[in-house]
Coordinates of all heavy atoms in Angstrom, one line a residue:
M1 N 84.6 71.0 51.4 CA 85.9 70.5 51.7 C 85.7 69.5 52.9 O 85.2 69.9 54.0 CB 86.8 71.6 52.1 CG 88.2 70.9 52.5 SD 89.3 72.1 53.4 CE 89.9 72.9 52.0
A2 N 86.1 68.3 52.8 CA 85.9 67.3 53.8 C 87.2 67.3 54.7 O 88.3 67.5 54.2 CB 85.7 65.9 53.3
L3 N 87.0 67.2 56.0 CA 88.1 67.1 57.0 C 88.9 65.8 56.8 O 90.0 65.9 56.6 CB 87.6 67.2 58.4 CG 87.0 68.5 58.8 CD1 86.5 68.4 60.2 CD2 88.1 69.6 58.7
A4 N 88.2 64.7 56.7 CA 88.8 63.4 56.5 C 87.8 62.4 56.0 O 86.7 62.4 56.6 CB 89.3 62.9 57.8
L5 N 88.0 61.8 54.9 CA 87.0 61.0 54.3 C 86.8 59.7 55.2 O 87.7 58.9 55.4 CB 87.5 60.5 52.9 CG 87.5 61.7 51.9 CD1 88.0 61.2 50.6 CD2 86.1 62.3 51.7
C6 N 85.5 59.5 55.6 CA 85.1 58.2 56.3 C 85.9 57.8 57.5 O 86.0 56.7 57.8 CB 85.2 57.1 55.2 SG 84.0 57.3 53.9
Q7 N 86.4 58.8 58.1 CA 87.0 58.5 59.4 C 86.1 59.1 60.5 O 85.6 60.2 60.3 CB 88.4 59.1 59.5 CG 89.4 58.5 58.6 CD 90.7 59.1 58.8 OE1 91.0 60.0 59.5 NE2 91.6 58.6 57.9
T8 N 86.0 58.4 61.6 CA 85.1 58.9 62.7 C 85.9 60.0 63.5 O 87.0 59.8 63.9 CB 84.9 57.8 63.7 OG1 84.2 56.7 63.0 CG2 84.0 58.2 64.8
N9 N 85.3 61.2 63.5 CA 85.8 62.3 64.2 C 84.7 63.1 64.8 O 84.0 63.8 64.2 CB 86.6 63.2 63.1 CG 87.2 64.4 63.8 OD1 87.2 64.6 65.0 ND2 88.0 65.1 63.1
H10 N 84.6 62.9 66.2 CA 83.5 63.4 66.8 C 83.7 64.7 67.5 O 82.9 65.1 68.3 CB 82.8 62.4 67.8 CG 82.3 61.1 67.1 ND1 81.2 61.1 66.4 CD2 82.9 60.0 67.0 CE1 81.0 60.0 66.0 NE2 82.0 59.2 66.3
S11 N 84.8 65.3 67.2 CA 85.1 66.6 67.9 C 85.6 67.6 66.9 O 86.3 67.3 65.9 CB 86.1 66.3 69.0 OG 87.4 65.9 68.5
F12 N 85.4 68.8 67.2 CA 86.0 69.9 66.5 C 86.8 70.8 67.4 O 86.6 70.9 68.6 CB 84.8 71.0 66.0 CG 84.1 70.4 64.8 CD1 82.7 70.0 64.9 CD2 84.6 70.2 63.6 CE1 82.0 69.5 63.8 CE2 84.0 69.8 62.5 CZ 82.7 69.5 62.6
R13 N 87.9 71.4 66.9 CA 88.6 72.3 67.7 C 88.1 73.7 67.4 O 88.0 74.2 66.3 CB 90.1 72.2 67.2 CG 90.7 70.9 67.5 CD 92.1 70.8 67.1 NE 92.7 69.6 67.3 CZ 93.8 69.1 66.8 NH1 94.5 69.8 66.0 NH2 94.2 67.8 67.1
F14 N 87.8 74.3 68.5 CA 87.3 75.7 68.4 C 88.4 76.7 68.4 O 89.2 76.6 69.2 CB 86.3 76.0 69.6 CG 85.0 75.1 69.5 CD1 84.9 74.0 70.2 CD2 84.0 75.6 68.6 CE1 83.8 73.2 70.1 CE2 82.9 74.8 68.5 CZ 82.7 73.7 69.2
L15 N 88.3 77.7 67.5 CA 89.3 78.7 67.4 C 88.8 79.9 68.2 O 87.7 80.2 68.2 CB 89.5 79.1 66.0 CG 90.0 77.9 65.0 CD1 90.1 78.3 63.6 CD2 91.3 77.3 65.5
A16 N 89.7 80.6 68.7 CA 89.5 81.8 69.4 C 89.1 82.9 68.4 O 89.6 83.0 67.3 CB 90.7 82.4 70.3
A17 N 88.1 83.7 68.8 CA 87.6 84.8 68.0 C 88.7 85.8 67.9 O 89.4 86.2 68.8 CB 86.3 85.3 68.6
S18 N 88.8 86.4 66.7 CA 89.9 87.3 66.5 C 89.3 88.6 65.9 O 88.5 88.5 65.1 CB 91.0 86.8 65.6 OG 91.8 87.8 65.1
R19 N 89.7 89.8 66.3 CA 89.2 91.0 65.7 C 89.8 91.2 64.3 O 89.2 92.0 63.5 CB 89.5 92.2 66.6 CG 88.8 92.2 67.8 CD 89.1 93.4 68.7 NE 88.4 93.3 69.9 CZ 88.3 94.2 70.9 NH1 89.0 95.4 70.6 NH2 87.6 94.2 71.9
K20 N 90.9 90.7 64.1 CA 91.6 90.9 62.8 C 91.5 89.5 61.9 O 92.4 89.0 61.4 CB 93.1 91.2 62.9 CG 93.3 92.5 63.6 CD 94.8 92.7 63.7 CE 95.1 94.0 64.4 NZ 96.5 94.3 64.6
S21 N 90.2 89.2 61.8 CA 90.0 87.9 61.0 C 89.8 88.2 59.5 O 89.3 89.3 59.2 CB 88.8 87.2 61.5 OG 87.6 87.9 61.4
N22 N 90.1 87.3 58.7 CA 90.0 87.3 57.2 C 88.5 87.0 56.9 O 88.0 85.9 57.3 CB 90.9 86.4 56.6 CG 91.0 86.5 55.1 OD1 90.2 87.4 54.6 ND2 91.7 85.7 54.5
P23 N 87.7 87.9 56.3 CA 86.3 87.6 56.0 C 86.1 86.6 55.0 O 85.2 86.8 54.1 CB 85.8 89.0 55.7 CG 86.9 89.7 55.0 CD 88.1 89.2 55.8
V24 N 86.7 85.5 55.0 CA 86.5 84.5 54.0 C 85.5 83.4 54.6 O 85.7 83.0 55.8 CB 87.9 83.7 53.7 CG1 87.6 82.5 52.8 CG2 88.8 84.7 53.0
L25 N 84.5 83.0 53.8 CA 83.6 82.0 54.3 C 84.1 80.6 54.0 O 84.4 80.3 52.9 CB 82.2 82.3 53.5 CG 81.1 81.4 54.0 CD1 80.7 81.7 55.4 CD2 79.9 81.6 53.1
R26 N 84.2 79.8 55.0 CA 84.7 78.4 54.9 C 83.8 77.5 55.5 O 83.2 77.8 56.6 CB 86.2 78.3 55.5 CG 87.2 79.1 54.8 CD 88.5 79.0 55.5 NE 88.4 79.6 56.9 CZ 89.1 79.1 58.0 NH1 89.9 78.2 57.9 NH2 88.8 79.7 59.1
E27 N 83.8 76.2 55.0 CA 82.9 75.2 55.6 C 83.7 73.9 55.6 O 84.4 73.5 54.7 CB 81.7 75.0 54.7 CG 80.7 73.9 55.2 CD 81.0 72.6 54.6 OE1 81.5 72.5 53.5 OE2 80.8 71.5 55.3
F28 N 83.6 73.2 56.8 CA 84.3 72.0 56.9 C 83.2 70.9 57.3 O 82.4 71.2 58.2 CB 85.3 72.0 58.0 CG 86.5 72.9 57.7 CD1 86.4 74.2 58.2 CD2 87.5 72.6 56.9 CE1 87.5 75.1 57.9 CE2 88.5 73.4 56.6 CZ 88.4 74.7 57.1
S29 N 83.2 69.7 56.8 CA 82.3 68.7 57.0 C 82.9 67.4 57.2 O 84.0 67.1 56.7 CB 81.1 68.6 56.2 OG 81.7 68.2 54.8
D30 N 82.3 66.5 58.0 CA 82.8 65.1 58.1 C 81.6 64.1 58.4 O 80.6 64.6 58.8 CB 83.8 65.0 59.3 CG 84.6 63.8 59.3 OD1 84.6 63.1 58.2 OD2 85.3 63.5 60.3
V31 N 81.9 62.9 58.0 CA 80.7 61.9 58.2 C 81.3 60.6 58.7 O 82.4 60.2 58.4 CB 80.1 61.6 56.8 CG1 79.2 60.4 56.9 CG2 79.5 62.9 56.1
D32 N 80.5 60.1 59.6 CA 80.8 58.8 60.1 C 79.9 57.8 59.4 O 78.7 57.6 59.8 CB 80.5 58.7 61.6 CG 80.8 57.3 62.2 OD1 81.4 56.5 61.5 OD2 80.4 57.1 63.3
W33 N 80.4 57.3 58.3 CA 79.6 56.5 57.3 C 79.0 55.2 58.0 O 79.8 54.4 58.6 CB 80.4 56.1 56.1 CG 79.7 55.3 55.0 CD1 78.4 55.6 54.6 CD2 80.2 54.2 54.3 NE1 78.1 54.7 53.6 CE2 79.1 53.8 53.4 CE3 81.4 53.5 54.3 CZ2 79.2 52.7 52.6 CZ3 81.5 52.4 53.5 CH2 80.5 52.0 52.6
G34 N 77.7 55.1 58.0 CA 77.1 54.0 58.6 C 77.3 54.0 60.0 O 77.4 52.9 60.7
G35 N 77.4 55.1 60.7 CA 77.8 55.2 62.1 C 76.7 54.6 63.0 O 77.1 54.2 64.1
D36 N 75.4 54.6 62.7 CA 74.5 54.1 63.6 C 74.4 52.5 63.4 O 74.1 52.1 62.3 CB 73.1 54.7 63.4 CG 72.1 54.4 64.5 OD1 71.9 53.1 64.8 OD2 71.4 55.3 65.0
L37 N 74.6 51.8 64.4 CA 74.6 50.3 64.3 C 73.3 49.6 64.1 O 73.1 48.5 63.5 CB 75.3 49.7 65.5 CG 76.8 50.1 65.8 CD1 77.3 49.5 67.1 CD2 77.6 49.7 64.6
Y38 N 72.2 50.4 64.4 CA 70.9 49.8 64.3 C 70.2 50.0 62.8 O 69.7 49.2 62.2 CB 69.9 50.4 65.3 CG 70.5 50.0 66.7 CD1 71.0 50.9 67.5 CD2 70.3 48.7 67.1 CE1 71.5 50.5 68.8 CE2 70.8 48.3 68.4 CZ 71.4 49.3 69.2 OH 71.8 48.9 70.4
D39 N 70.4 51.3 62.4 CA 69.7 51.5 61.1 C 70.8 51.9 60.0 O 70.4 52.1 58.8 CB 68.8 52.7 61.1 CG 69.3 54.0 61.6 OD1 70.5 54.1 61.7 OD2 68.5 54.9 61.8
H40 N 72.0 51.9 60.3 CA 73.2 52.1 59.4 C 73.2 53.4 58.6 O 73.7 53.6 57.6 CB 73.2 50.9 58.3 CG 73.5 49.7 59.0 ND1 74.6 49.3 59.5 CD2 72.6 48.6 59.2 CE1 74.5 48.1 60.1 NE2 73.3 47.7 59.9
K41 N 72.5 54.4 59.2 CA 72.5 55.8 58.7 C 73.8 56.5 59.1 O 74.3 56.2 60.3 CB 71.3 56.6 59.1 CG 70.0 56.0 58.5 CD 68.8 56.8 58.8 CE 67.5 56.2 58.2 NZ 66.4 56.9 58.7
S42 N 74.3 57.3 58.3 CA 75.5 58.1 58.6 C 75.2 59.2 59.5 O 74.2 59.8 59.5 CB 76.1 58.5 57.3 OG 76.4 57.5 56.4
I43 N 76.3 59.6 60.3 CA 76.2 60.7 61.2 C 77.1 61.7 60.7 O 78.3 61.5 60.5 CB 76.6 60.3 62.6 CG1 75.6 59.3 63.2 CG2 76.6 61.6 63.5 CD1 76.0 58.6 64.4
M44 N 76.5 62.9 60.4 CA 77.3 64.0 59.8 C 77.5 65.1 60.7 O 76.7 65.3 61.7 CB 76.7 64.4 58.5 CG 75.3 65.0 58.6 SD 75.2 66.5 57.5 CE 74.6 67.6 58.6
A45 N 78.5 65.9 60.5 CA 78.8 67.1 61.2 C 79.5 68.1 60.3 O 80.1 67.8 59.4 CB 79.7 66.9 62.4
Y46 N 79.1 69.5 60.5 CA 79.8 70.5 59.8 C 79.9 71.7 60.7 O 79.2 71.8 61.7 CB 79.0 70.8 58.5 CG 77.7 71.4 58.6 CD1 77.5 72.8 58.8 CD2 76.6 70.6 58.6 CE1 76.3 73.3 58.9 CE2 75.3 71.2 58.7 CZ 75.2 72.5 58.8 OH 73.9 73.1 58.9
I47 N 80.8 72.6 60.2 CA 81.1 73.8 60.9 C 81.3 74.9 59.8 O 82.1 74.5 58.9 CB 82.1 73.8 62.0 CG1 82.2 75.0 62.9 CG2 83.4 73.3 61.4 CD1 83.0 74.9 64.1
I48 N 80.8 76.1 60.0 CA 81.0 77.1 59.0 C 81.7 78.3 59.7 O 81.3 78.7 60.9 CB 79.6 77.6 58.5 CG1 78.9 76.4 57.7 CG2 79.8 78.7 57.5 CD1 77.5 76.7 57.4
F49 N 82.7 78.8 59.1 CA 83.5 80.0 59.6 C 83.4 81.1 58.7 O 83.3 81.0 57.5 CB 85.0 79.5 59.7 CG 85.3 78.5 60.7 CD1 85.2 77.2 60.4 CD2 85.7 78.9 62.0 CE1 85.7 76.2 61.3 CE2 86.1 77.9 62.9 CZ 86.1 76.7 62.6
I50 N 83.4 82.3 59.3 CA 83.7 83.6 58.6 C 85.0 84.0 59.2 O 85.1 84.3 60.3 CB 82.7 84.7 58.7 CG1 81.4 84.3 58.1 CG2 83.2 86.0 58.3 CD1 80.3 85.3 58.1
G51 N 86.1 84.0 58.3 CA 87.5 84.2 58.9 C 87.8 83.1 59.8 O 87.7 81.9 59.5
N52 N 88.2 83.5 61.0 CA 88.5 82.4 62.1 C 87.4 82.1 63.1 O 87.5 81.5 64.1 CB 89.8 82.8 62.8 CG 91.0 82.8 61.9 OD1 91.1 82.0 61.1 ND2 91.9 83.7 62.2
N53 N 86.2 82.8 62.8 CA 85.1 82.7 63.8 C 84.0 81.8 63.3 O 83.5 81.9 62.3 CB 84.5 84.1 63.9 CG 85.6 85.1 64.4 OD1 86.4 84.9 65.3 ND2 85.6 86.3 63.7
P54 N 83.7 80.8 64.2 CA 82.6 79.8 63.8 C 81.2 80.5 63.9 O 81.0 81.2 64.9 CB 82.8 78.8 64.9 CG 83.5 79.4 66.0 CD 84.4 80.4 65.5
I55 N 80.4 80.4 62.9 CA 79.1 81.0 63.0 C 78.0 80.1 62.9 O 76.9 80.4 63.4 CB 78.9 82.1 61.7 CG1 79.1 81.3 60.4 CG2 79.9 83.2 61.9 CD1 78.7 82.1 59.2
S56 N 78.3 78.8 62.5 CA 77.2 77.8 62.5 C 77.8 76.4 62.6 O 78.8 76.3 62.0 CB 76.4 78.0 61.2 OG 75.4 77.0 61.1
W57 N 77.2 75.6 63.2 CA 77.6 74.2 63.3 C 76.4 73.2 63.5 O 75.4 73.7 64.1 CB 78.7 73.9 64.3 CG 78.3 74.4 65.6 CD1 77.7 73.6 66.6 CD2 78.5 75.6 66.3 NE1 77.5 74.3 67.7 CE2 77.9 75.6 67.6 CE3 79.0 76.8 65.8 CZ2 78.0 76.7 68.4 CZ3 79.1 77.9 66.7 CH2 78.5 77.8 67.9
R58 N 76.6 72.0 63.1 CA 75.4 71.1 63.3 C 76.0 69.6 63.2 O 76.9 69.3 62.5 CB 74.4 71.3 62.2 CG 73.2 70.5 62.3 CD 72.3 70.9 61.2 NE 71.0 70.3 61.5 CZ 69.9 70.4 60.6 NH1 70.0 71.0 59.5 NH2 68.7 69.9 61.0
T59 N 75.4 68.8 64.0 CA 75.6 67.4 63.9 C 74.3 66.7 64.0 O 73.4 67.0 64.7 CB 76.4 66.9 65.2 OG1 77.6 67.6 65.3 CG2 76.7 65.4 65.3
R60 N 74.1 65.7 63.0 CA 72.8 65.0 63.0 C 73.0 63.8 62.2 O 73.9 63.5 61.4 CB 71.7 65.9 62.5 CG 71.7 66.1 60.9 CD 70.6 66.9 60.5 NE 70.6 67.1 59.1 CZ 69.9 66.5 58.2 NH1 69.1 65.5 58.5 NH2 70.1 66.7 56.9
K61 N 72.0 62.9 62.3 CA 72.0 61.7 61.5 C 71.4 62.0 60.1 O 70.3 62.7 60.1 CB 71.1 60.6 62.2 CG 71.2 59.3 61.6 CD 70.2 58.2 62.2 CE 70.5 58.1 63.7 NZ 69.6 57.0 64.3
Q62 N 71.9 61.4 59.1 CA 71.4 61.7 57.8 C 70.0 61.0 57.7 O 69.8 59.9 58.3 CB 72.4 61.2 56.7 CG 73.6 62.1 56.6 CD 74.6 61.8 55.5 OE1 74.5 60.6 55.0 NE2 75.4 62.7 55.1
K63 N 69.2 61.4 56.8 CA 67.8 60.9 56.7 C 67.8 59.6 55.9 O 66.8 58.8 56.1 CB 67.0 61.9 56.0 CG 66.7 63.2 56.8 CD 65.8 64.2 56.0 CE 65.7 65.4 56.9 NZ 64.9 66.4 56.3
V64 N 68.7 59.3 55.1 CA 68.7 58.1 54.3 C 70.0 57.4 54.5 O 71.0 58.0 54.8 CB 68.4 58.3 52.7 CG1 67.1 59.0 52.6 CG2 69.5 59.2 52.2
V65 N 70.0 56.1 54.1 CA 71.1 55.3 54.3 C 72.0 55.6 52.9 O 71.5 55.4 51.8 CB 70.9 53.7 54.3 CG1 72.1 53.0 54.2 CG2 70.1 53.4 55.5
A66 N 73.3 56.0 53.2 CA 74.2 56.2 52.1 C 74.8 54.9 51.5 O 75.1 54.0 52.3 CB 75.3 57.1 52.5
H67 N 74.9 54.8 50.2 CA 75.4 53.6 49.6 C 76.9 53.5 49.6 O 77.5 52.5 49.4 CB 74.9 53.4 48.1 CG 73.4 53.3 48.1 ND1 72.5 54.1 47.9 CD2 72.7 52.1 48.4 CE1 71.2 53.7 47.9 NE2 71.4 52.5 48.2
S68 N 77.5 54.6 49.8 CA 79.0 54.7 49.9 C 79.5 55.8 50.7 O 78.7 56.7 51.0 CB 79.6 54.9 48.4 OG 79.3 56.1 47.9
C69 N 80.8 55.8 51.0 CA 81.4 56.9 51.8 C 81.2 58.2 51.1 O 81.0 59.2 51.6 CB 82.9 56.6 52.0 SG 83.8 57.9 52.8
T70 N 81.5 58.2 49.8 CA 81.5 59.4 49.0 C 80.0 59.9 48.9 O 79.7 61.2 49.0 CB 81.9 59.1 47.5 OG1 83.2 58.5 47.6 CG2 81.9 60.4 46.7
D71 N 79.0 59.1 48.8 CA 77.6 59.5 48.9 C 77.3 60.2 50.1 O 76.7 61.3 50.2 CB 76.7 58.3 48.6 CG 75.3 58.7 48.5 OD1 75.0 59.7 48.1 OD2 74.5 57.8 48.8
A72 N 77.8 59.7 51.3 CA 77.5 60.3 52.6 C 78.2 61.6 52.7 O 77.7 62.6 53.2 CB 78.0 59.4 53.7
E73 N 79.5 61.8 52.2 CA 80.2 63.1 52.2 C 79.6 64.1 51.4 O 79.3 65.2 51.8 CB 81.7 62.8 51.7 CG 82.5 61.9 52.6 CD 83.0 62.8 53.8 OE1 82.9 64.0 53.9 OE2 83.6 62.1 54.7
Y74 N 79.0 63.7 50.2 CA 78.3 64.8 49.4 C 77.0 65.2 50.0 O 76.6 66.3 49.9 CB 78.1 64.2 48.0 CG 79.2 64.3 47.0 CD1 79.8 63.1 46.4 CD2 79.7 65.5 46.7 CE1 80.9 63.2 45.6 CE2 80.9 65.6 45.9 CZ 81.4 64.4 45.4 OH 82.5 64.5 44.5
K75 N 76.3 64.3 50.6 CA 75.1 64.7 51.3 C 75.4 65.6 52.5 O 74.6 66.6 52.7 CB 74.4 63.4 51.8 CG 73.7 62.6 50.7 CD 73.0 61.4 51.2 CE 72.6 60.6 50.0 NZ 71.8 59.3 50.3
A76 N 76.4 65.4 53.2 CA 76.8 66.3 54.3 C 77.2 67.7 53.7 O 76.9 68.7 54.3 CB 78.0 65.7 55.1
L77 N 78.0 67.6 52.7 CA 78.3 69.0 52.0 C 77.1 69.7 51.5 O 77.1 70.9 51.6 CB 79.3 68.7 50.9 CG 79.9 69.8 50.2 CD1 80.8 70.7 51.2 CD2 80.9 69.4 49.0
A78 N 76.2 69.0 50.9 CA 75.0 69.6 50.4 C 74.2 70.3 51.6 O 73.6 71.4 51.4 CB 74.1 68.7 49.6
T79 N 74.0 69.5 52.7 CA 73.4 70.1 53.8 C 74.0 71.4 54.3 O 73.4 72.3 54.7 CB 73.3 69.0 55.0 OG1 72.6 67.9 54.4 CG2 72.5 69.5 56.1
A80 N 75.4 71.4 54.4 CA 76.1 72.5 54.9 C 75.9 73.7 54.0 O 75.8 74.8 54.4 CB 77.6 72.2 55.1
T81 N 76.0 73.4 52.6 CA 75.8 74.4 51.7 C 74.4 75.1 51.7 O 74.3 76.2 51.7 CB 76.0 73.9 50.3 OG1 77.3 73.3 50.2 CG2 75.9 74.9 49.2
L82 N 73.4 74.3 52.0 CA 72.0 74.8 52.2 C 72.0 75.8 53.4 O 71.3 76.8 53.4 CB 71.0 73.7 52.4 CG 70.7 73.0 51.1 CD1 69.7 71.8 51.4 CD2 70.0 73.9 50.0
D83 N 72.7 75.4 54.4 CA 72.8 76.3 55.6 C 73.5 77.6 55.3 O 73.1 78.7 55.8 CB 73.5 75.5 56.8 CG 73.4 76.3 58.1 OD1 72.4 77.0 58.3 OD2 74.1 76.0 59.0
I84 N 74.5 77.6 54.4 CA 75.1 78.8 54.1 C 74.2 79.7 53.2 O 74.1 81.0 53.4 CB 76.5 78.6 53.3 CG1 77.5 77.9 54.1 CG2 77.0 79.8 52.6 CD1 78.7 77.3 53.4
V85 N 73.5 79.1 52.3 CA 72.6 79.9 51.4 C 71.4 80.4 52.2 O 71.0 81.5 52.2 CB 72.1 79.0 50.2 CG1 71.1 79.8 49.4 CG2 73.2 78.6 49.4

């Protein structure tokens, strides 16, 4: 699930840990398509929650240049899914 397609969003809001959290696994990702002005590679970020508690997050430049916003979003989602597995 993407937070916002192709919009630059460099911050996440952190939620307070809760003892009564719902044990649902959720993942949110976002991409700054072509964000690097020198090599035009996209910068992606994702965060994974169990209930309301963040358990993993990452921000990095994608390895290849994405041809479209959708391509960049799918690559970010695939990277986050690999982290879950």
Side-chain angles (χ1 to χ4, degrees):
M1 173 196 281
L3 291 174
L5 293 177
C6 295
Q7 294 180 358
T8 303
N9 185 358
H10 296 285
S11 64
F12 286 112
R13 293 181 183 162
F14 292 97
L15 301 176
S18 170
R19 291 184 183 184
K20 296 181 180 180
S21 65
N22 187 2
V24 174
L25 187 65
R26 295 176 296 149
E27 179 269 329
F28 299 95
S29 63
D30 196 12
V31 174
D32 181 11
W33 181 42
D36 190 313
L37 298 177
Y38 298 107
D39 61 8
H40 301 288
K41 292 182 180 177
S42 301
I43 300 169
M44 62 138 230
Y46 67 84
I47 187 165
I48 300 169
F49 290 90
I50 291 182
N52 292 330
N53 304 312
I55 59 167
S56 179
W57 55 89
R58 187 175 193 185
T59 301
R60 72 177 181 104
K61 189 186 301 187
Q62 292 183 340
K63 294 180 181 180
V64 296
V65 176
H67 293 100
S68 69
C69 173
T70 305
D71 186 27
E73 290 284 348
Y74 278 122
K75 288 177 184 181
L77 185 61
T79 303
T81 302
L82 285 174
D83 192 20
I84 292 173
V85 175

